Amino acid sequence: MRKRETSLTLEFTKLWEHRCSSLPNTQSRGQGNLSGKAKTRMKYEEAECFMSVFLIPFRDLLLSVALGQVLSLLICGIGLTSKYLSEDFHANTPVFQSFLNYILLFLVYTTTLAVRQGEENLLAILKRRWWKYMILGIIDIEANYLVVKAYQYTTLTSVQLLDCFVIPVVILLSWFFLLVRYKAVHFIGIVVCILGMGCMAGADVLVGRQQGAGENKLIGDLLVLGGATLYGISNVCEEYIVRNLSRVEFLGMIGLFGSFFSGIQLAIMEHKELLKVPWDWQIGLLYVGFSACMFGLYSFMPVVIKKTSATAVNLSLLTADLYSLFCGLFLFHYKFSGLYLLSFFTILVGLMLYSSTSTYVAQDPRVYKQFRNPSGPVVDLPASSQMEPSVTYTSLGQETEEEPHVRVA
């Protein structure tokens, strides 16, 4: 299937010409006998045309980037509270922290499914797809556990760099299972984002910010790669579910199976650590803050994924470490380097490039048209003709185009 290589500017120009040519007063522009009201109306319609073609897409672009940064800020809050718990209060309880989040998801979303009627009821969903959500819940739990565990074996820089492995995982899974197709500008944006992440890792080395024991670096690196792979699988499954089923169903089932299996893991692996925690109001407040940020991340991420994509979300999350660093400059007296600012803006530029144009689904467009226009006029197409897909996944939402119904040979 042939891919369009037209630039975003050219696409906007064609859209401008198409919309303006359809204005009711367009054919009268060359005539000098327009009344004052007609001229005012024509100017108003041209302004509307400009807004719809240029300003609204640019607004949506900024909105998609901003939504991703909200997720990064939530991850920053998760990291800060975890750091205080582990370093200041010696509370190393990553499984228990995740367990609290799954319990909150269970109380809010699983109970919502339980009181629903019909096909969206909890029991009806469990009858049809229980084993799929069970596997997804285990994947989500172990992804969190592996990355947190890796900090005990390797350095912070290694975790930051290898955690980027989630991006190619999401791209490959989206390509083969969601049938998403990318354009050259998407790959350019991805490369720019990863370069920005490399710049940040280089700045960490220069200022000596090498946290982590690094005593068995190979094990730590393998744990990060395993966690990143599981994150990628979880994110792509999440994108499929929120686009085709519902956000509440995804979060409700993750809350159900996540709380069950993380509770088992907590009882087996972390019950001794939990008994060692010196409980007081400060530790309780940190656990509450962590749980609030984690719950907000899980609740808000499906909204952002549905509006953008799993790939765009993971690119946005690359700035989370930088937000943590900027907070650490004041809270933990980290050393500053100008490379951190360069890294931050490089990632944002790459994210803007990625979000500036749409991806599309690689399926036979004639099948889409036949499904969407069952009662429309039939148009025979030559067997050699190639067309763009009529339904596209885009970094700014889902787009559809009005096209005639065709017969599939």
Side-chain angles (χ1 to χ4, degrees), residues 28 160 247 320:
S28 304
Q160 290 172 339
R247 165 180 168 269

Side-chain angles (χ1 to χ4, degrees), residues 54-361:
F54 293 101
L55 296 186
I56 293 178
F58 183 70
R59 180 201 65 188
D60 290 343
L61 172 62
L62 293 180
L63 178 61
S64 65
V65 173
L67 291 175
Q69 297 314 295
V70 172
L71 296 178
S72 287
L73 288 172
L74 289 171
I75 291 182
C76 173
I78 292 169
L80 291 177
T81 51
S82 295
K83 182 175 177 62
Y84 274 116
L85 283 169
S86 61
E87 295 190 1
D88 291 8
F89 297 96
H90 306 288
N92 297 307
T93 57
V95 178
F96 176 66
Q97 291 167 226
S98 297
F99 176 72
L100 292 177
N101 172 57
Y102 292 123
I103 288 295
L104 287 176
L105 293 175
F106 177 85
L107 293 175
V108 175
Y109 295 104
T110 308
T111 53
T112 300
L113 292 176
V115 299
R116 284 184 172 180
Q117 303 295 324
E119 294 296 317
E120 295 184 349
N121 179 264
L122 176 62
L123 293 179
I125 295 172
L126 286 173
K127 288 179 181 178
R128 297 194 303 270
R129 296 185 284 271
W130 68 271
W131 64 273
K132 297 179 182 178
Y133 283 115
M134 181 185 71
I135 295 174
L136 184 57
I138 294 174
I139 288 174
D140 192 74
I141 294 169
E142 299 310 319
N144 292 322
Y145 178 76
L146 289 178
V147 174
V148 172
K149 192 71 175 177
Y151 283 97
Q152 299 179 15
Y153 298 97
T154 188
T155 61
L156 174 66
T157 303
S158 294
V159 173
Q160 290 172 339
L161 288 175
L162 294 176
D163 199 38
C164 294
F165 185 66
V166 68
I167 295 173
V169 171
V170 169
I171 291 174
L172 288 175
L173 293 177
S174 298
W175 183 284
F176 289 108
F177 294 100
L178 300 184
L179 302 178
V180 176
R181 296 295 179 262
Y182 302 91
K183 300 178 184 178
V185 68
H186 295 121
F187 293 107
I188 293 173
I190 291 168
V191 170
V192 171
C193 286
I194 295 177
L195 287 176
M197 198 65 188
C199 183
M200 184 187 70
D204 284 342
V205 174
L206 290 177
V207 301
R209 186 171 168 257
Q210 292 267 51
Q211 298 178 5
E215 296 176 353
N216 201 331
K217 196 169 182 299
L218 178 60
I219 292 179
D221 293 346
L222 291 176
L223 289 175
V224 178
L225 291 175
T229 302
L230 295 180
Y231 272 133
I233 296 172
S234 176
N235 289 162
V236 172
C237 292
E238 182 175 355
E239 179 176 355
Y240 176 84
I241 293 169
V242 298
R243 288 189 185 278
N244 296 279
L245 298 172
S246 77
R247 165 180 168 269
V248 175
E249 177 175 331
F250 170 77
L251 294 174
M253 302 309 290
I254 287 293
L256 175 63
F257 289 105
S259 57
F260 178 75
F261 287 108
S262 64
I264 295 175
Q265 189 170 355
L266 172 64
I268 295 173
M269 303 179 63
E270 227 174 60
H271 64 281
K272 293 182 179 179
E273 286 291 332
L274 201 58
L275 294 175
K276 296 177 183 178
V277 176
W279 292 97
D280 60 19
W281 68 271
Q282 290 178 308
I283 291 182
L285 192 61
L286 287 172
Y287 275 116
V288 170
F290 175 90
S291 301
C293 290
M294 199 73 166
F295 179 77
L297 177 68
Y298 269 71
S299 298
F300 191 50
M301 184 176 281
V303 177
V304 183
I305 284 181
K306 188 172 183 179
K307 181 156 184 70
T308 59
S309 67
T311 305
V313 165
N314 280 281
L315 292 174
S316 298
L317 297 183
L318 294 179
T319 59
D321 290 325
L322 286 165
Y323 289 128
S324 299
L325 169 72
F326 295 148
C327 293
L329 294 174
F330 302 98
L331 298 175
F332 310 116
H333 307 291
Y334 289 158
K335 294 181 180 179
F336 178 76
S337 171
L339 288 178
Y340 288 127
L341 287 177
L342 177 61
S343 171
F344 180 74
F345 288 110
T346 301
I347 293 174
L348 287 184
V349 168
L351 185 58
M352 295 279 284
L353 284 173
Y354 181 89
S355 303
S356 63
T357 189
S358 63
T359 58
Y360 62 89
V361 179

